[in-house]
């Protein structure tokens, strides 16, 4: 269902920063993180609706990646709490966060270059008995599970069209293929929430379409997707909800169109661009008429 | 010509002998640390020392060897936990710095006056291998073929040593082919990637440190049994770097590399030393270039040259795969 549809689950939610959602899976309160004098993240309240695609936008250095790092335990917040379905995750180390169903990908892709594409996927599966030292030496304790994991890995390999690279070192993949691999590997964990940090960055336009297809498919399977993206066409096309961060705080959230035409958002983008002495023409095209569907490339 | 054959035979003896077996065991442990897990352990000798001394102290106290050996391994595990608990949360370089320091701290501690009652200070502890040689099934005599022969005591240490080396190699192989090994490889390459997938990187690194350390302890114990004694001078920092050379020579992150590396290492060292010694005694190498008193230092020159050569021509070692070393080096 496209976000412009009046029956969209978020159609009735008013576009205010920190607004409550009908069915939030992730709730964030008073999270802050400073680097020296710089307040990188300062979010009062944010709820993320279950089973939808929520995009995070914001100019470079707005604090999007830092926000992801805090949520997933890769960085320590100065203050704040967050929880998924009532389970507190603040202060938890990354592996505990992942085991609670929140899995992330990285802005700079972390494909494990010296492992095969297939082993990258096998690694992802959660709760593997053979990863326990007490079990590792006794294959009969993990062989059955290993076979199940293998089956799922083969499925994802096919789905993400990486089958022909199965036994190659992941280091031989192209940038776009690595993004696909990282996403597929995250799915091996069977997360409830997947956090994607610029999954389309540096990916060729043909592959962008396929990546977008995968992201929408994840939502349609019931996953909650939060993703950081700079390309406004992409954001307008597939998001159910958009959150705009600037200087660490949420300055706007709402349906894609509403955020896209919010003067505060346009200001934030133009502001930073002017500050960098770039021409306003460099600013992303936020006008509503440019909300192209990803399925219909404009090129 | 006959001299050359003798040098060759002596080198071969050393390459199969008890020392080579001990270094093979040590290298298997270090390979788990560095080769597979990526832990920069520059103080492997600490595990060897802790293992050997614990065993020696236990045996010296009148307890049997079968108590002493597990006690030595346990002590190495404790050392692993201490090292891991303090440094594994930090960047990899901190483990490197800490292990170098701990290696020296342990050596200085065991030779100190303060601990003389326990460790024997600079004199060490003698007569720790009575139990071990009481088990020797070989009757007195010389064993071997051609000029490569061993006494019954050496043979017994060799048989036990190479068996342990093989068992440890099998242990590491079994661990690395299990899903546990997959996580270890992932941690080696990118710890954050592994953690983002729900893997407890610190726990697995600590496990690797402890297992590799316990294997290192076995190597230390074997050396102690061979010499029937422990003394602080067996645990100088260069031992660690000999073990590193053995591991790199065979091929880090390969299964058979450690054992093969130890054989090659000792053969190269002893053969080169033998040639030089022969050259000096026959006057081929003039006095002003090298005297027999300087031979001790030559070993370090050979090891250094070997390492440099490897890094230039074969960084993956004899059994490693070049692609694995080169990927990501761009
Ligand atoms: N480890 C760090 N140490 C110091 N400053 C940092 C650190 N990480 C981030 N910052 C600063 O925090 C701010 C937010 O950075 P962040 O990476 O979160 O931005 P972002 O929104 O992801 O930007 P981009 O769109 O360019 O990826 C930046 O000003 C950055 O310089
Ligand atoms: Mg970022």
């Amino acid at each position: 269902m496209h976000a412009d549809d009046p029956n969209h689950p978020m159609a009735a939610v008013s576009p205010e920063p920190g607004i409550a959602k009908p069915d939030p899976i992730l709730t964030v309160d008073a999270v802050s993180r400073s680097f020296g004098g710089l307040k990188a993240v300062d979010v009062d309240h944010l709820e993320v609706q279950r089973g939808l695609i929520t995009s995070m936008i914001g100019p470079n250095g707005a604090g999007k990646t830092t926000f992801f790092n805090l949520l997933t335990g890769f960085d320590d917040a100065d203050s704040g709490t967050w929880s998924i379905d009532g389970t507190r995750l603040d202060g938890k180390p990354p592996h505990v966060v992942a085991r609670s169903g929140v899995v992330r990908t990285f802005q700079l892709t972390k494909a494990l270059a010296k492992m095969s594409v297939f082993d990258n996927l096998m690694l992802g599966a959660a709760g593997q008995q053979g990863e326990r030292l007490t079990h590792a030496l006794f294959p009969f304790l993990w062989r059955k599970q290993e076979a199940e994991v293998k089956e799922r890995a083969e499925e994802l390999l096919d789905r993400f069209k990486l089958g022909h690279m199965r036994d190659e070192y992941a280091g031989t993949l192209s940038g776009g293929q690595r993004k696909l691999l990282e996403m597929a590997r995250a799915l091996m964990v069977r997360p409830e929430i997947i956090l994607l940090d610029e999954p389309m960055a540096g990916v060729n336009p043909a592959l962008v379409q396929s990546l977008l297809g995968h992201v929408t498919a994840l939502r349609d399977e019931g996953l909650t997707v939060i993703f950081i993206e700079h390309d406004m066409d992409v954001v307008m096309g597939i998001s159910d909800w958009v959150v705009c961060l600037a200087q660490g705080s949420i300055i706007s959230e709402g349906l894609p169109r509403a955020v896209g035409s919010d003067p505060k958002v346009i200001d934030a983008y133009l502001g930073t661009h002017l500050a960098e002495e770039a021409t306003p023409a460099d600013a992303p095209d936020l006008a509503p008429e440019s909300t192209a569907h990803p399925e219909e490339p404009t090129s | 010509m006959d001299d050359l054959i003798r040098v060759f035979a002596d080198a071969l003896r050393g390459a199969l002998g008890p020392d080579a077996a001990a270094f093979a065991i040590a290298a298997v442990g270090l390979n788990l640390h560095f080769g597979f897990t990526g832990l920069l352990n520059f103080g492997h000798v600490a595990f060897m020392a802790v293992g050997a001394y614990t065993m020696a102290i236990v045996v010296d106290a009148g307890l049997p060897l079968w108590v002493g050996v597990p006690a030595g391994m346990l002590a190495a595990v404790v050392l692993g936990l201490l090292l891991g608990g303090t440094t594994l949360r930090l960047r990899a370089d901190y483990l490197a710095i800490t292990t170098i320091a701990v290696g020296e701290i342990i050596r200085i501690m065991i030779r100190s006056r303060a601990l003389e009652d326990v460790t024997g200070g600079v004199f060490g502890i003698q007569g720790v291998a009575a139990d071990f040689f009481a088990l020797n099934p070989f009757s007195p005599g010389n064993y071997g073929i051609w000029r490569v022969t061993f006494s019954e005591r050496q043979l017994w240490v060799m048989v036990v040593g190479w068996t342990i080396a093989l068992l440890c190699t099998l242990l590491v192989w079994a661990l690395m082919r299990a899903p546990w090994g997959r996580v270890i490889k992932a941690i080696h390459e990118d710890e954050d990637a592994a953690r983002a997938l729900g893997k407890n990187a610190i726990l697995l690194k600590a496990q690797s440190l402890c297992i590799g350390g316990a294997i290192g302890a076995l190597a230390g114990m074997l050396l102690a049994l061979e010499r029937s004694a422990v003394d602080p001078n067996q645990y100088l920092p260069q031992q660690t770097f000999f073990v590193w050379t053995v591991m790199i020579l065979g091929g880090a992150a390969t299964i058979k590399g450690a054992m093969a590396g130890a054989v090659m290492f000792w053969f190269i060292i002893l053969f080169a030393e033998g040639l030089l010694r022969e050259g000096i005694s026959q006057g081929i190498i003039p006095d002003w270039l090298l005297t027999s008193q300087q031979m001790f230092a030559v070993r370090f020159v050979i090891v250094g040259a070997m390492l440099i050569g490897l890094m230039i021509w074969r960084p993956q070692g004899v059994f490693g795969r070049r692609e694995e070393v080169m990927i990501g080096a761009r």
Side-chain angles (χ1 to χ4, degrees):
Chain A
M1 188 184 308
H2 193 259
D4 288 341
D5 193 309
N7 294 323
H8 190 274
M10 303 299 276
V13 180
S14 72
E16 294 163 32
I19 189 77
K21 307 287 153 38
D23 181 15
I25 185 168
L26 174 72
T27 310
V28 178
D29 272 300
V31 174
S32 69
R33 174 70 165 114
S34 302
F35 295 111
L38 175 86
K39 200 129 203 177
V41 168
D42 186 12
V43 170
D44 265 351
H45 186 77
L46 175 68
E47 292 180 13
V48 174
Q49 173 76 4
R50 186 187 313 276
L52 295 184
I53 298 175
T54 300
S55 295
M56 291 202 94
I57 61 168
N60 292 120
K64 306 179 292 295
T65 298
T66 307
F67 187 60
F68 269 24
N69 287 345
L70 295 176
L71 290 187
T72 50
F74 279 91
D75 191 7
D76 299 324
D78 298 333
S79 67
T81 59
W82 55 96
S83 51
I84 91 163
D85 280 330
T87 309
R88 288 273 292 271
L89 289 185
D90 44 280
K92 296 272 168 27
H95 69 275
V96 175
V97 174
R99 288 174 190 182
S100 322
V102 182
V103 174
R104 60 140 349 145
T105 65
F106 293 87
Q107 183 165 358
L108 297 171
T109 324
K110 289 189 184 293
L112 296 160
K114 295 184 191 181
M115 291 169 70
S116 73
V117 169
F118 193 66
D119 275 348
N120 264 271
L121 289 177
M122 294 292 289
L123 174 73
Q128 297 191 52
Q129 293 301 314
E131 290 176 359
R132 294 164 58 179
L133 191 55
T134 47
H135 291 47
L137 288 178
F138 309 105
F140 62 90
L141 292 175
W142 47 264
R143 210 163 253 156
K144 188 160 158 285
Q145 191 187 24
E146 183 86 345
E148 290 160 13
V149 172
K150 206 165 175 170
E151 207 169 298
R152 180 163 166 76
E154 301 279 11
E155 265 171 45
L156 282 166
L157 208 57
D158 280 349
R159 174 167 162 192
F160 283 82
K161 304 209 167 50
L162 290 167
H164 60 293
M165 302 297 284
R166 185 184 191 278
D167 298 315
E168 303 293 326
Y169 283 119
T172 62
L173 295 181
S174 75
Q177 286 173 322
R178 285 178 202 217
K179 296 264 178 197
L180 284 173
L181 175 61
E182 208 186 6
M183 201 186 290
R185 192 176 64 190
L187 291 180
M188 286 295 295
V189 187
R190 296 188 187 274
E192 287 179 65
I193 303 184
I194 184 162
L195 304 171
L196 305 171
D197 197 345
E198 301 198 22
M200 324 288 173
V203 173
N204 91 55
L207 211 50
V208 165
Q209 295 313 314
S210 125
L211 266 164
L212 288 176
H214 289 307
V215 175
T216 31
L218 299 185
R219 171 196 57 194
D220 297 342
E221 286 162 23
L223 249 79
T224 305
V225 181
I226 308 178
F227 89 129
I228 297 175
E229 183 49 56
H230 279 294
D231 185 327
M232 282 303 152
D233 286 346
V234 168
V235 170
M236 293 299 152
I238 75 163
S239 317
D240 296 294
W241 193 256
V242 178
V243 176
C244 179
L245 226 55
Q247 287 162 24
S249 305
I250 298 176
I251 55 165
S252 176
E253 64 170 305
L255 293 169
R257 273 168 185 278
V259 174
S261 54
D262 185 335
K264 285 204 290 288
V265 175
I266 297 171
D267 257 9
Y269 273 91
L270 292 180
T272 56
H273 276 262
L274 288 175
E276 287 160 13
E277 290 178 37
T279 58
D282 285 349
D285 190 353
L286 296 167
E289 46 273 19
S290 74
T291 57
H293 263 258
E295 290 80 16
E296 312 155 352
T298 42
S299 56
Chain B
M1 193 60 206
D2 196 50
D3 294 330
L4 203 62
I5 291 174
R6 202 183 61 241
V7 168
F8 178 82
D10 282 348
L12 203 58
R13 254 170 52 93
L16 301 173
D19 279 355
F23 274 81
I25 299 169
V28 172
L30 183 65
N31 196 21
L32 182 61
H33 288 165
F34 174 75
F36 290 113
T37 319
L39 299 172
L40 286 172
N41 171 11
F42 287 128
H44 204 45
V45 72
F47 290 108
M48 297 165 72
V50 162
Y53 264 87
T54 307
M55 181 200 71
I57 291 165
V58 168
V59 170
D60 199 41
L63 290 165
L65 189 64
W66 62 263
V67 179
V69 172
M73 294 175 75
L74 195 68
V77 169
V78 171
L79 178 63
L81 289 176
L82 285 175
L83 279 169
T86 47
T87 58
L88 288 182
R89 272 162 221 285
L90 307 172
R91 255 186 10 230
D93 359 4
Y94 289 92
L95 180 68
I97 298 165
T98 312
T99 48
I100 294 181
V102 166
E104 276 298 84
I105 290 170
I106 297 227
R107 187 176 66 87
I108 291 164
M109 262 171 59
I110 53 185
R111 74 192 296 276
S112 73
R113 265 277 164 77
L115 288 178
E116 211 169 61
D117 290 344
V118 188
T119 62
V122 288
F123 306 109
I125 303 170
Q126 272 76 37
V128 297
D131 271 11
F132 178 72
F133 285 111
L135 293 171
N136 190 351
F138 303 109
S139 43
N142 273 317
Y143 297 82
I145 45 167
W146 187 50
R147 301 193 186 186
V148 186
T149 57
F150 302 92
S151 73
E152 79 284 356
R153 280 169 73 95
Q154 285 174 317
L155 185 65
W156 177 226
V157 182
M158 277 166 63
V159 167
V160 172
W162 286 113
T163 306
I164 294 175
L166 189 68
L167 289 177
C168 291
T169 302
L170 285 174
L171 172 75
V172 170
W173 167 79
L175 284 173
M176 289 312 296
R177 82 172 166 156
W180 187 86
R182 196 158 54 212
V183 182
I184 287 289
K185 281 184 214 152
I187 289 171
H188 185 178
E189 215 192 309
D190 191 332
E191 202 176 311
D192 282 347
R195 301 167 90 198
L197 295 168
K199 314 300 177 195
N200 190 345
I202 292 173
L203 177 71
L204 266 83
K205 286 198 292 184
Q207 290 173 344
S208 166
L209 196 58
C210 290
I211 298 169
I215 294 175
L218 282 173
M221 289 185 243
L222 192 76
L223 284 176
L225 290 175
E226 184 212 353
R227 292 166 171 75
S228 288
V230 285
D231 94 74
N233 290 330
Q234 289 166 359
Y235 305 101
L236 295 167
Q238 58 252 35
Q239 300 286 24
T240 296
F241 294 93
F242 290 170
V243 181
W244 270 84
T245 312
V246 166
M247 176 191 65
I248 294 171
L249 184 61
T254 63
I255 293 293
K256 55 187 174 224
M259 283 173 76
V263 173
M264 292 184 289
F265 175 84
W266 284 106
F267 182 81
I268 294 169
I269 293 250
L270 295 174
F271 193 64
E273 273 184 16
L275 282 185
L276 289 173
R277 199 163 272 141
E278 210 50 44
I280 292 169
S281 73
Q282 305 204 354
I284 302 170
I285 298 172
D287 250 7
W288 55 263
L289 190 63
L290 190 70
T291 65
S292 51
Q293 286 84 36
Q294 292 166 332
M295 277 306 293
F296 177 72
V298 163
R299 179 170 289 194
F300 300 104
V301 178
I302 299 170
V303 172
M306 202 155 48
L307 267 178
I308 294 172
L310 273 172
M311 287 303 116
I312 296 174
W313 292 294
R314 219 179 151 80
Q316 75 273 34
V318 173
F319 291 108
R321 306 211 306 187
R322 192 168 184 89
E323 313 94 84
E324 266 186 49
V325 183
M326 298 324 254
I327 278 182
R330 288 161 292 171

